[in-house]
Amino acid sequence: MKAIIDKLYNTQNLDREEFLNLLNNFDTNISEYLFSKSREVALKHFGNSIYTRGLIEFTNYCKNNCYYCGIRSSNKNTERYRLSIDEVLSCCKTGYELGFRTFVLQGGEDNYFSDNEIVDILKKIKSNYSDCAITLSIGEKSYESYKRYFEAGADRYLLRHETANEEHYQKLHPKSLSLSNRKQCLYNLKDIGFQVGTGFMIGSPYQTMENIVEDLMFIKEFSPEMVGMGPFIPHKDTIFSNEPAGSLELTLLLIGIVRLLLPNSLIPATTALGTIDKNGREKGILAGANVVMPNLSPVSVRKKYLLYDNKICTGEEAAECNHCLQNRMKSIGYQLVVDRGDYKYK
Ligand code: 5AD
Ligand code: FES
């Protein structure tokens, strides 16, 4: 097993059988060996610096009905909200003062916001905070829409592929969504010039180790600048409410593997990881992640943006989370830095 990890470290890739072998047979010792390598690679590229992204969840309206997600359109228990442009700008102001130089505008697929409106928000943020990067995460749009966002100043785009297996994709999503369109969107984003993030949930219902191998192979082939991976966590108002959450150990293993596959990629220690384990984010960093994404949304709406149950940080102000994360990173020998934290193309 260590030979497989050495190969992954030396060649930045594995074949299908080797991936499967590693996923099916890892134990604590193997994980620790992997993390010693993945951590070394992260330290080589980023030192002990952790990039922060201020997450602004600006709408929880969503036209989609993904089976796993708490803000799916058919969930009548979700109290819906939208932030005004001024509210978004005020979140950015708070974030800027705390040292954030990346804002992530995330929302459900909410047709209330026309492209003109998104462009307007982007331009206003860019004119107020010209030294900041903007990441959009608002789902599947046309090539033309993506291009307009890019031209208006969006630098990056997050769109997780969720699972690279067609059949598995259909078990997690209604018929209106397809893996092929999702992938097309990702290729369009890359073509336009965005730094692109994709990723998947670990332990989503029906997921097999073979599926995860496909995820890893897709990620290697697509070679995104950012990779978001977090455990699936059930939400009480979904059909998956009684499904078990994804495992901490497997999530950490995958962070380590992706760090070795794409050495200079940006990998967050996600809020979902911090939700299934109180030190999940620290463990994520020690497995090779190098980004954290504290929440900048107004506390008044935090509890309404629940993709899964028991989400952490829904009662804390931005400054509190920032302080908390600073301490958490310090406790493991890392530090939050004031930096846009762009992907470094070689
Ligand atoms: N558990 C964990 N992650 C989830 N997401 C959506 N619902 C859940 C859930 N129940 C993730 C998806 C999406 C991202 C914004 O949040 O991967 O892309
Ligand atoms: Fe939000 Fe710790 S990061 S309270």
Side-chain angles (χ1 to χ4, degrees):
M1 199 65 56
K2 286 192 175 163
I4 293 184
I5 293 172
D6 289 341
K7 178 178 172 193
L8 175 58
Y9 175 78
N10 290 322
T11 68
Q12 287 92 52
N13 211 354
L14 291 177
D15 61 34
R16 189 182 291 269
E17 287 311 311
E18 291 164 331
F19 276 130
L20 198 57
N21 191 350
L22 184 53
L23 293 177
N24 279 329
N25 299 304
F26 77 98
D27 59 19
T28 318
N29 274 335
I30 298 302
S31 289
E32 281 310 321
Y33 186 68
L34 171 68
F35 300 155
S36 70
K37 302 279 182 191
S38 53
R39 201 154 57 222
E40 175 200 314
V41 169
L43 283 166
K44 174 171 159 242
H45 287 275
F46 309 102
N48 71 342
S49 297
I50 302 297
Y51 297 135
T52 51
R53 320 314 197 176
L55 183 63
I56 304 170
E57 298 155 335
F58 72 101
T59 172
N60 72 350
Y61 282 84
C62 191
K63 68 177 164 61
N64 290 335
N65 207 22
C66 305
Y67 301 147
Y68 45 82
C69 181
I71 64 167
R72 60 206 300 261
S73 58
S74 72
N75 184 4
K76 302 294 175 245
N77 295 327
T78 293
E79 204 186 313
R80 304 286 167 170
Y81 73 90
R82 294 183 178 105
L83 299 185
S84 65
I85 293 198
D86 284 344
E87 286 173 310
V88 171
L89 289 171
S90 145
C91 294
C92 294
K93 181 168 188 291
T94 306
Y96 193 87
E97 285 162 3
L98 289 170
F100 296 107
R101 294 297 178 266
T102 292
F103 301 119
V104 182
L105 293 181
Q106 185 169 83
E109 291 197 20
D110 180 2
N111 284 335
Y112 174 89
F113 289 96
S114 63
D115 285 351
N116 283 341
E117 224 139 341
I118 298 291
V119 162
D120 196 32
I121 299 177
L122 293 167
K123 285 189 172 160
K124 286 208 168 99
I125 297 177
K126 276 282 161 160
S127 71
N128 286 348
Y129 304 102
S130 57
D131 58 337
C132 291
I134 306 179
T135 304
L136 269 183
S137 177
I138 55 174
E140 298 183 3
K141 306 276 179 179
S142 67
Y143 189 98
E144 291 66 37
S145 296
Y146 285 151
K147 196 157 172 59
R148 287 195 61 197
Y149 307 154
F150 187 72
E151 284 164 358
D155 304 273
R156 313 183 189 134
Y157 205 102
L158 303 178
L159 183 68
R160 291 189 180 173
H161 65 279
E162 312 297 0
T163 170
N165 177 277
E166 192 77 57
E167 280 161 41
H168 186 217
Y169 197 93
Q170 290 310 324
K171 289 181 181 161
L172 299 180
H173 302 95
K175 285 210 163 38
S176 55
L177 293 171
S178 72
L179 178 60
S180 57
N181 193 56
R182 180 64 55 121
K183 284 188 174 174
Q184 188 58 55
C185 287
L186 287 166
Y187 283 103
N188 290 347
L189 288 161
K190 206 172 217 192
D191 183 65
I192 290 166
F194 283 98
Q195 295 170 46
V196 183
T198 193
F200 61 104
M201 286 176 290
I202 286 89
S204 59
Y206 308 109
Q207 184 183 57
T208 63
M209 290 300 186
E210 283 80 3
N211 293 155
I212 296 180
V213 173
E214 289 181 68
D215 290 317
L216 293 171
M217 293 175 75
F218 171 68
I219 285 171
K220 182 64 187 178
E221 179 204 314
F222 181 67
S223 196
E225 284 77 14
M226 304 168 280
V227 187
M229 290 165 289
F232 159 77
I233 303 174
H235 185 288
K236 59 182 181 343
D237 299 322
T238 66
I239 55 170
F240 295 148
S241 59
N242 291 321
E243 298 289 331
S247 104
L248 172 73
E249 292 73 21
L250 184 57
T251 304
L252 295 173
L253 185 89
L254 287 161
I255 289 174
I257 292 176
V258 172
R259 170 58 65 216
L260 295 183
L261 283 176
L262 302 174
N264 60 340
S265 59
L266 299 153
I267 304 177
T270 60
T271 304
L273 189 53
T275 297
I276 59 162
D277 183 290
K278 73 177 186 346
N279 294 320
R281 289 167 297 178
E282 291 89 321
K283 291 174 184 171
I285 301 294
L286 293 172
N290 69 320
V291 171
V292 289
M293 300 174 68
N295 205 314
L296 277 181
S297 310
V299 172
S300 58
V301 303
R302 293 266 181 106
K303 287 194 170 59
K304 300 177 188 165
Y305 202 91
L306 297 183
L307 310 184
Y308 47 80
D309 291 336
N310 306 316
K311 185 179 173 194
I312 53 169
C313 301
T314 57
E316 281 80 8
E317 295 287 349
E320 291 175 77
C321 281
N322 196 51
H323 187 67
C324 169
L325 276 170
Q326 255 163 1
N327 287 335
R328 285 170 179 271
M329 294 303 118
K330 214 183 281 172
S331 76
I332 53 168
Y334 288 75
Q335 54 162 348
L336 297 185
V337 291
V338 178
D339 195 306
R340 276 174 53 124
D342 283 297
Y343 181 82
K344 293 186 180 66
Y345 294 92
K346 277 179 247 157

